[in-house]
Amino acid sequence: MHNSNRLGDAPLLANRQFAATSAPLIAVEGLAKEYRVYDKPEGLLASVSGLFRRTSRLVPALRGVNLTVGRGEFVALLGPNGAGKTTFLKLLSGIITPTRGTASVLGHVPWERADDFRRRFALVMGQRNQLWWDLPAAESFRLHKEIYRIETTRFERTRDELVDMLDVRKLLLQPVRELSLGERMKLELVAALLHEPEVLFLDEPTIGLDVVAQHTLHRFLSHVQTERQMTVVLTTHYMKDVAALCQRVVVITHGDILYDGSLDQIVDRFTTHKIVTLDLDHEPSQERMERFGFPCEIRGPQAILRIDRSRIADVLPEILRSETVRDISVEDVPLEEIVASLFRSEAEIHTRESE
Amino acid sequence: MNRYATIFATFARACLVRDMTFRTNFILECVTSLGWMSMNLAFYLLVFTFTAEIGQGTGWTREPFFAFVATGLIINSIVQALFMPSAEELTEMVRTGGLDGVLVQPLDAQFLLSMHRIDFSAFANGLVGIGLLAWALKSIDRAPHFVVWLLYPLLILCGVAILYSLVIMLAAATIWMGRNQSLYDFWFYLTNFSRYPAEIYAGPWGSPLRALCTFVIPILLVVNVPARVIAQPLEGQGWGMIFAAVFAAVASLLISRIVFQLAISRYRSASS
């Protein structure tokens, strides 16, 4: 077991006080997790011999991550499937123990699973169900009240507030199995927030939800987070979640942090061009449009050019002079595309390394 | 402690509500287990048409033997009702990753995992057991000493504790193995030994088996000790058995706690 509360080791009282006021709520250093996986050979004979001798190897899920998160931050973890996002959240919530490294969440080592720590955070997993399946959510809430020792008046106040915000009062007495995914997710969130956690971990909370439900959750989360100054770490595959909620984005691929910064900076840092869409009065030829020197895609009377950001001021007037343009739009590369290319390029580097 | 009692009551209430929602299923479960039990009882009655006593000089004549069977029914029904459904679900939770949700809650994981699901239909057999015990004691026509009335419930609890420890250790093994579908089978084989008087395990094969099931896996103490106390006169060596049962109960609880803690510290969690 690691004793990683480094802040507590400060030798001077003055230092300690400084540390207490400016301490990050989540501090992670060199956090690594390896899983031992057993190879399951194909074929009957090989399977049988596998009963007696199995070959195993260590698969790194997280390779020494460093990260600090301050109070009230809303951080998104982005990354392709298998990048280590969920493993990271599981380590931070103390579900699993790391292979190496230290972490401190709310001043506790998460995997020591102290009650005082567990009372102060919540974990919501979009793919898992925490509510009693066959019973109305109100019953699960009641149990939650007991487990988290929430005082009755406080419990009722918080519950009513959350329930009204998400407009789910009429669902409280219906068995959870009869609810839609969106409705269930709202109730999962209410349950997770009943004990007013200081830190909230959300693992793909909007997975499988329709646009309306996603939007409702965004509004709700953003409201609650600001109101309570809650620290939230969210993993997702939807850029809409990130754009609506997070000031800070952490991109993880292959168990490493690839980028840590604001969403806008991702665009600045990882793209070289803008997308210019031209609506013309007739279908242009490919050659004609490519004479400006940039890749172009023709879609009917529409031409989509990818123009270097540094050149855009020169090229646009030229286009407008020589073409009959009905409408024009200049946009950044969509985030999805940037992130996807980030994932891809990292994967390529990775395969090259291992070859 | 009070909080744990309230939480347990909440679990019990929720399970009762659910059982009542699926009423037909509940009634069917009661009926099947009562049916299975009656067939067993009929079989024992049949055995006693051929012999007056199981093992000469053991004291297990018809009525005391039925007191033995009744004791077994009571203990098993408590374990089946309180712990078995949760233990079975634990194996499922390990496979699906549902255990994650339990480990983040500020509550003793072993408590939550061993009693969050209660099967009220299993109490049906216990009620029949109590009736059977009353009938057997009345037929024996020897009022048990008042000390016996204090000892019997205590020893029932010891029996439950030993069985519970075994169940929870078997369930904890699933955390290591990732999957353990043979839990119920293994449980059935083990408890099978506890269903008969210890005296039948005699001879070159029986004696080592008896020693194994008394001292290593104390499964023979579960029903035998309380049953002997209530159905037969309490003699000198009876006290030794009583101490052995209490000791075995405490020791198994401690060992199961250690095994369980070790298992959850090794938990790998399933993929999301």
Side-chain angles (χ1 to χ4, degrees):
Chain A
M1 239 1 108
H2 302 271
N3 190 354
S4 70
N5 195 351
R6 291 171 302 118
L7 302 164
D9 295 337
L12 298 168
L13 187 64
N15 276 356
R16 195 169 295 185
Q17 276 170 343
F18 173 74
T21 48
S22 67
L25 228 59
I26 301 173
V28 171
E29 219 178 84
L31 200 63
K33 176 74 184 173
E34 287 166 357
Y35 284 106
R36 180 169 292 284
V37 293
Y38 292 94
D39 295 321
K40 303 247 166 22
E42 263 181 69
L44 180 66
L45 202 67
S47 308
V48 173
S49 69
L51 275 178
F52 304 102
R53 206 178 52 202
R54 289 199 295 179
T55 48
S56 71
R57 62 207 153 87
L58 285 175
V59 175
L62 218 55
R63 310 161 181 259
V65 166
N66 299 313
L67 188 76
T68 54
V69 179
R71 185 176 290 278
E73 274 197 271
F74 206 131
V75 182
L77 295 179
L78 295 181
N81 289 328
K85 303 176 306 266
T86 305
T87 300
F88 190 45
L89 281 196
K90 282 179 181 168
L91 283 165
L92 290 184
S93 29
I95 293 171
I96 49 175
T97 335
T99 316
R100 282 185 307 280
T102 60
S104 154
V105 180
L106 291 158
H108 289 273
V109 177
W111 45 92
E112 284 174 2
R113 298 183 190 143
D115 277 354
D116 177 55
F117 164 62
R118 295 191 290 187
R119 243 192 295 282
R120 289 164 64 195
F121 85 99
L123 167 72
V124 178
M125 298 178 130
Q127 316 237 46
R128 303 263 172 81
N129 177 37
Q130 307 267 35
L131 302 168
W132 261 322
W133 189 245
D134 292 322
L135 294 176
E139 300 283 342
S140 292
F141 292 173
R142 182 209 288 265
L143 177 72
H144 209 82
K145 172 184 181 296
E146 298 304 333
I147 290 180
Y148 285 87
R149 295 192 215 183
I150 312 168
E151 191 240 324
T152 308
T153 49
R154 205 185 112 196
F155 167 76
E156 281 166 2
R157 195 192 59 224
T158 321
R159 183 198 56 199
D160 291 346
E161 200 182 286
L162 295 168
V163 160
D164 289 339
M165 246 189 273
L166 284 168
D167 194 21
V168 286
R169 188 169 291 279
K170 58 186 184 305
L171 306 177
L172 287 184
L173 297 175
Q174 226 171 310
V176 171
R177 71 186 136 83
E178 290 172 7
L179 303 177
S180 74
L181 179 62
E183 293 170 332
R184 215 179 70 209
M185 203 54 222
K186 288 180 189 169
L187 292 171
E188 290 274 351
L189 274 175
V190 173
L193 294 172
L194 280 174
H195 62 285
E196 301 177 70
E198 291 163 62
V199 173
L200 176 65
F201 298 124
L202 296 168
D203 191 23
E204 304 186 18
T206 53
I207 198 159
L209 298 187
D210 65 42
V211 184
V212 181
Q214 280 182 18
H215 188 66
T216 316
L217 284 198
H218 291 161
R219 264 195 330 211
F220 172 74
L221 284 171
S222 133
H223 178 82
V224 175
Q225 192 259 344
T226 339
E227 187 131 285
R228 295 192 185 168
Q229 273 301 294
M230 197 163 55
T231 308
V232 187
V233 181
L234 159 113
T235 76
T236 184
H237 286 293
Y238 300 111
M239 284 304 140
K240 280 205 188 97
D241 290 352
V242 185
L245 296 167
C246 308
Q247 302 94 18
R248 185 174 162 197
V249 176
V250 174
V251 179
I252 300 187
T253 53
H254 295 283
D256 266 327
I257 290 184
L258 187 67
Y259 171 83
D260 181 354
S262 76
L263 196 59
D264 307 335
Q265 275 171 349
I266 285 200
V267 180
D268 291 343
R269 215 174 110 182
F270 294 101
T271 60
T272 50
H273 55 271
K274 284 200 180 244
I275 294 182
V276 176
T277 311
L278 305 169
D279 273 333
L280 305 166
D281 59 349
H282 63 282
E283 188 168 333
S285 73
Q286 186 87 24
E287 287 160 23
R288 188 180 164 80
M289 295 317 292
E290 276 177 356
R291 74 180 197 282
F292 299 109
F294 296 99
C296 171
E297 192 191 324
I298 309 287
R299 278 188 204 156
Q302 228 178 29
I304 303 157
L305 287 106
R306 301 173 88 93
I307 301 179
D308 268 14
R309 278 200 285 189
S310 55
R311 298 280 317 282
I312 210 134
D314 315 331
V315 179
L316 270 189
E318 200 184 318
I319 295 175
L320 291 174
R321 259 200 313 277
S322 62
E323 303 295 325
T324 326
V325 177
R326 286 182 172 168
D327 196 7
I328 183 167
S329 76
V330 181
E331 285 159 316
D332 278 321
V333 179
L335 263 171
E336 271 90 353
E337 204 177 299
I338 304 173
V339 173
S341 72
L342 270 179
F343 294 173
R344 258 200 311 277
S345 59
E346 175 65 11
E348 280 157 18
I349 296 170
H350 220 79
T351 22
R352 268 204 300 280
E353 268 176 5
S354 57
E355 269 166 13
Chain B
M1 217 54 235
N2 191 16
R3 173 166 156 254
Y4 280 86
T6 323
I7 292 171
F8 178 70
T10 316
F11 283 144
R13 193 176 160 278
C15 292
L16 196 62
V17 170
R18 188 184 40 214
D19 276 356
M20 293 304 119
T21 325
F22 304 104
R23 232 170 325 181
T24 323
N25 178 61
F26 179 78
I27 293 167
L28 269 177
E29 269 177 30
C30 292
V31 171
T32 25
S33 74
L34 286 174
W36 167 241
M37 186 197 58
S38 335
M39 282 196 289
N40 269 313
L41 292 181
F43 171 74
Y44 295 138
L45 276 175
L46 191 69
V47 169
F48 278 104
T49 58
F50 293 95
T51 177
E53 196 177 18
I54 295 185
Q56 254 186 351
T58 58
W60 294 118
T61 52
R62 199 171 77 153
E63 283 74 22
F65 181 76
F66 274 99
F68 181 98
V69 173
T71 308
L73 280 174
I74 295 168
I75 293 175
N76 266 309
S77 87
I78 296 174
V79 177
Q80 295 276 357
L82 293 186
F83 308 117
M84 215 52 210
S86 303
E88 273 183 89
E89 199 169 294
L90 176 59
T91 68
E92 193 57 23
M93 287 170 106
V94 172
R95 209 174 56 78
T96 58
L99 187 53
D100 294 2
V102 172
L103 293 180
V104 298
Q105 294 181 9
L107 193 72
D108 187 78
Q110 186 176 348
F111 166 77
L112 204 149
L113 290 169
S114 32
M115 16 186 46
H116 68 119
R117 192 156 268 212
I118 296 147
D119 175 12
F120 284 92
S121 66
F123 282 125
N125 277 355
L127 290 177
V128 176
I130 292 173
L132 186 64
L133 182 71
W135 168 81
L137 290 182
K138 198 160 173 280
S139 316
I140 292 169
D141 204 22
R142 173 180 55 77
H145 195 269
F146 85 94
V147 179
V148 168
W149 286 120
L150 295 178
L151 278 175
Y152 186 67
L154 172 79
L155 292 168
I156 291 265
L157 282 184
C158 289
V160 169
I162 294 170
L163 288 187
Y164 162 76
S165 308
L166 281 172
V167 172
I168 205 70
M169 278 194 280
L170 284 176
T174 60
I175 299 177
W176 265 300
M177 300 194 283
R179 184 169 206 174
N180 180 7
Q181 289 195 320
S182 52
L183 170 72
Y184 210 90
D185 298 341
F186 197 67
W187 167 251
F188 184 77
Y189 301 142
L190 264 182
T191 50
N192 234 348
F193 286 112
S194 71
R195 296 205 291 166
Y196 307 104
E199 287 83 354
I200 70 165
Y201 301 101
W205 286 99
S207 305
L209 195 60
R210 183 172 176 175
L212 178 81
C213 292
T214 308
F215 300 110
V216 185
I217 309 170
I219 199 84
L220 271 181
L221 300 174
V222 172
V223 184
N224 272 280
V225 181
R228 183 162 276 280
V229 163
I230 195 96
Q232 303 212 22
L234 196 56
E235 286 155 5
Q237 60 163 0
W239 285 104
M241 265 179 21
I242 291 165
F243 286 120
V246 174
F247 176 77
V250 174
S252 353
L253 281 179
L254 285 176
I255 294 170
S256 70
R257 176 83 187 164
I258 293 167
V259 170
F260 190 87
Q261 294 292 347
L262 209 63
I264 56 166
S265 72
R266 299 278 185 87
Y267 177 55
R268 285 167 57 118
S269 182
S271 148
S272 62

